Amino acid sequence: MGRHMSDKKRAVIISAGAALGAVLLFILLFSGVQLVLDVSDTAVKAMSGIALCAGCFAGAFAAANIRRKHGIAVGFLFGIVTLAAVFALGMIFVKSFSADGFFAKTVLIFCSAAAGGIIGVNTKPLFR
């Protein structure tokens, strides 16, 4: 047994932290906007979509930057995991499945995660 974690484990831990950090940062920013302005329900949905996309991008970017290969595959894998987590959390908290906006949310998750994976592979290593 070596003292260092494998790249796969590091990628999972760091990418999950990056995704959660980005989502929390955007939620904090958007909650400040909602505090100052009167925001419609449509704008709140858009803000939550932007926060979700930022988290997907950041997580896939970090994972692909660590792995240094197969960026789009890493992005899609991160998108699948994120979509499953969003679906599971929705089932837990809302107690039902609503297909309202599910296709758009799926497309946003996969596009932002794939973009993060591609850019993460093609950027010099940030996480060593």
Side-chain angles (χ1 to χ4, degrees), residues 38-86:
D38 187 24
V39 184
S40 68
D41 289 342
T42 306
V44 172
K45 285 183 181 181
M47 289 177 184
S48 68
I50 291 169
L52 180 64
C53 287
C56 287
F57 182 88
F61 176 89
N65 194 268
I66 292 169
R67 291 289 315 257
R68 305 298 305 154
K69 58 185 174 183
H70 308 298
I72 197 162
V74 170
F76 278 133
L77 183 62
F78 194 85
I80 290 169
V81 171
T82 304
L83 186 62
V86 166

Side-chain angles (χ1 to χ4, degrees), residues 5 8 22 33 45 54-55 60 72 74 76 85 88 97 103 105 110-111 114 116 124:
M5 268 193 277
K8 290 180 184 179
V33 169
K45 285 183 181 181
I72 197 162
V74 170
F76 278 133
F97 172 70
F103 179 73
K105 193 178 294 185
F110 281 118
C111 287
K124 76 177 168 176

Side-chain angles (χ1 to χ4, degrees), residues 23 25-51:
V23 167
L25 181 70
F26 272 83
I27 287 175
L28 182 66
L29 175 75
F30 291 145
S31 65
V33 169
Q34 291 177 21
L35 183 67
V36 173
L37 302 173
D38 187 24
V39 184
S40 68
D41 289 342
T42 306
V44 172
K45 285 183 181 181
M47 289 177 184
S48 68
I50 291 169

Side-chain angles (χ1 to χ4, degrees), residues 5-21 59 62-63 66 78 127:
M5 268 193 277
S6 70
D7 279 346
K8 290 180 184 179
K9 288 180 186 176
R10 265 187 65 228
V12 168
I13 292 169
I14 292 175
S15 65
L20 287 174
I66 292 169
F78 194 85
F127 307 97

